[in-house]
Amino acid sequence: MVVNFPSDIGFPDALYAHNYPAPGAPKLAQKVVDLLRDGGIESRLDADRGWDHGVWIPIERRK
């Protein structure tokens, strides 16, 4: 996992180097995109975007 922190927020440097090797679920992600589009909500997959801190924090708390 690449954590997608904007560099101008000022998080500690160690957070930018953090890695969580999540396997992902590309089929599920595509299904979600398809359902959103079917519902009239524009959406697309972006394999280059890292995870937002809203996802990363709960994962870290599980440890």
Side-chain angles (χ1 to χ4, degrees):
M1 167 182 95
V2 175
V3 179
N4 194 23
F5 291 128
S7 60
D8 60 346
I9 287 181
F11 287 114
D13 289 342
L15 294 179
Y16 294 93
H18 186 77
N19 186 14
Y20 181 83
K27 288 181 182 179
L28 175 60
Q30 185 61 58
K31 181 173 179 128
V32 170
V33 167
D34 293 342
L35 289 168
L36 289 168
R37 287 181 181 161
D38 290 348
I41 300 170
E42 184 179 331
S43 59
R44 66 181 172 82
L45 296 176
D46 184 351
D48 295 326
R49 182 180 170 115
W51 287 5
D52 175 275
H53 70 281
V55 173
W56 178 73
I57 291 170
I59 289 172
E60 279 299 297
R61 298 291 295 174
R62 289 184 332 169
K63 291 183 178 179

